[in-house]
């Protein structure tokens, strides 16, 4: 099966999802993984994100996800750190706290997840570190058999999603957001003082603290084009970076709008630029 992995859209759904539609058709993909950060575009007024634009983009995305799933294409909608701010009702860069209720509703309609496995690689918004796995998932990588860990991308995705689901139940049913806030931990690489969580880890933290023997796919850190990082983990772990849709404060594109194509038959992973699927990437409305 061919899978398309899509980086951070930041309210550019009207521009990005038509590229994904063409990629599905041109490349014969049967699955799409969205890596999160659907909310909050870069702008000079990031702390006052326009509510109408935010909701318009999410509503468009919800309709697209429904239609794509109805066509028989699997769509995994992963959560990003910007999206999480609406779940925990805390202000971050660009968060519009006037939109908490409708944003939560729209995220729930898409059944947001924390992680997905793609051909043996773990896909999350920012990456799973061994610190987070140890403290939150209670997986001690140092206790694992050398070179043959008991975990896999599939099992870790399941653990992360189960923990996330439990955290949502605790918050919405019991008013306790402590478990959900664990997913929002931020390390020094992104200006925090805690351990790097799967929504906030920087690529430098990931290459040093990533899970042993686990290859990972991430967004979160803008790159010009989808590519494998030159830096590998201590045991040769590989990392694919996919955040190519971000723009600067002047709305100029930072990336080429490429997406990742993963083929679980050939095990090929490569960048697909918009022109390959008869599209253009303008970077802004």
């Amino acid at each position: 099966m061919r899978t398309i992995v899509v980086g951070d859209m930041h309210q550019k759904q009207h521009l990005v999802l038509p590229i994904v539609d063409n990629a599905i058709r041109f490349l014969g993909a049967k699955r799409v993984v969205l890596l999160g950060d659907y909310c909050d575009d870069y702008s000079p007024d990031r702390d006052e994100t326009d509510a109408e634009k935010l909701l318009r983009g999410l509503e468009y995305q919800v309709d697209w996800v429904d239609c794509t799933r109805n066509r028989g294409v699997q769509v995994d909608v992963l959560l990003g750190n910007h999206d999480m701010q609406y779940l925990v009702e805390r202000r971050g860069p660009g968060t519009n706290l006037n939109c908490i209720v409708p944003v939560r509703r729209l995220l729930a309609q898409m059944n947001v997840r924390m992680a997905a496995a793609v051909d043996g690689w773990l896909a999350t918004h920012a990456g799973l570190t061994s610190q987070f796995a140890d403290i939150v998932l209670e997986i001690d990588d140092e206790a694992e058999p050398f070179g043959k860990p008991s975990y896999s991308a599939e099992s870790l995705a399941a653990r992360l999603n189960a923990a996330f689901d439990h955290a949502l139940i605790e918050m919405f049913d019991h008013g306790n957001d402590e478990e959900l806030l664990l997913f929002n931990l931020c390390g020094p690489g992104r200006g925090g003082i805690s351990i790097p969580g799967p929504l906030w880890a920087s690529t430098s933290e990931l290459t040093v603290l990533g899970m042993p023997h686990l290859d990972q796919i991430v967004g979160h850190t803008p790159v010009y084009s989808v590519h494998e990082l030159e830096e590998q983990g201590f045991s040769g772990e590989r990392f694919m970076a996919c955040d190519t849709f971000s723009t600067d404060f002047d709305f100029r594109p930072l990336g080429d709008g490429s997406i990742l194509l993963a083929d679980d038959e050939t095990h090929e992973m490569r960048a697909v630029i918009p022109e390959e699927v008869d599209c253009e990437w303008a970077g802004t409305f």
Side-chain angles (χ1 to χ4, degrees):
M1 181 172 67
R2 286 185 160 188
T3 298
I4 292 167
V5 184
V6 183
D8 313 23
M9 288 190 280
H10 286 298
Q11 297 187 185
K12 303 178 189 69
Q13 290 92 337
H14 290 81
L15 294 173
V16 175
L17 294 177
I19 298 173
V20 181
D21 274 330
N22 272 22
I24 292 170
R25 186 170 71 253
F26 277 70
L27 304 174
K30 296 298 183 183
R31 184 186 183 195
V32 175
V33 177
L34 306 177
L35 290 177
D37 273 5
Y38 316 112
C39 304
D40 309 338
D41 197 6
Y42 286 90
S43 75
D45 302 313
R46 272 191 76 171
D47 290 334
E48 298 178 3
T49 301
D50 180 73
E52 183 179 350
K53 179 183 177 183
L54 170 62
L55 296 178
R56 186 170 66 243
L58 284 175
E59 288 166 353
Y60 180 90
Q61 182 180 342
V62 167
D63 290 341
W64 181 90
V65 168
D66 286 343
C67 291
T68 304
R69 286 171 173 165
N70 288 336
R71 298 203 315 266
V73 178
Q74 178 180 339
V75 182
D76 297 84
V77 183
L78 306 188
L79 197 72
N81 59 292
H82 281 267
D83 315 315
M84 175 63 92
Q85 299 303 128
Y86 293 87
L87 294 185
V88 297
E89 201 169 344
R90 283 166 171 77
R91 183 178 297 280
T95 310
N96 191 324
L97 295 180
N98 296 318
C99 298
I100 294 294
V101 173
V103 169
R104 282 178 171 178
R105 174 178 54 82
L106 291 165
L107 292 174
Q109 283 183 249
M110 295 183 287
N111 188 30
V112 288
R113 306 277 73 205
M114 188 57 59
V118 179
D119 192 25
W121 294 58
L122 181 70
T124 60
H125 178 64
L128 177 64
T129 65
S130 55
Q131 286 182 329
F132 186 89
D134 182 17
I135 294 173
V136 179
L137 302 182
E138 298 182 345
I139 299 174
D140 182 2
D141 64 272
E142 294 184 358
E144 295 287 328
F146 182 77
K148 294 182 179 180
S150 61
Y151 54 79
S152 64
E154 290 76 13
S155 68
L156 288 171
R159 291 278 294 271
L160 283 164
N161 288 331
F164 176 60
D165 286 341
H166 189 270
L168 288 176
I169 292 172
E170 282 295 303
M171 185 180 74
F172 288 118
D173 290 359
H174 306 293
N176 178 11
D177 64 0
E178 291 182 4
E179 290 185 25
L180 195 58
L181 286 172
L182 291 175
F183 287 97
N184 215 30
L185 292 174
C186 181
R190 281 303 182 102
I193 58 173
S194 186
I195 65 171
L199 302 181
W200 279 102
S202 67
T203 51
S204 60
E205 289 170 329
L206 192 59
T207 54
V208 173
L209 300 171
M211 291 290 287
H213 309 290
L214 178 70
D215 298 330
Q216 302 197 50
I217 301 169
V218 298
H220 188 54
T221 300
V223 293
Y224 177 73
S225 186
V226 167
H227 70 283
E228 183 176 338
L229 298 181
E230 292 184 6
E231 300 84 4
Q232 294 187 344
F234 291 129
S235 300
E237 296 83 12
R238 301 163 63 191
F239 306 98
M240 295 292 300
C242 300
D243 180 3
T244 67
F245 297 115
S246 291
T247 54
D248 64 18
F249 288 145
D250 295 319
F251 298 101
R252 292 174 300 201
L254 296 173
D256 63 357
S258 54
I259 55 181
L260 174 66
L261 176 65
D263 190 321
D264 66 3
E265 182 176 349
T266 64
H267 304 298
E268 177 188 26
M269 285 201 175
R270 68 175 180 88
V272 175
I273 61 173
E275 290 75 13
E276 183 177 340
V277 293
D278 197 26
C279 288
E280 295 182 355
W281 169 237
T284 187
F285 287 107

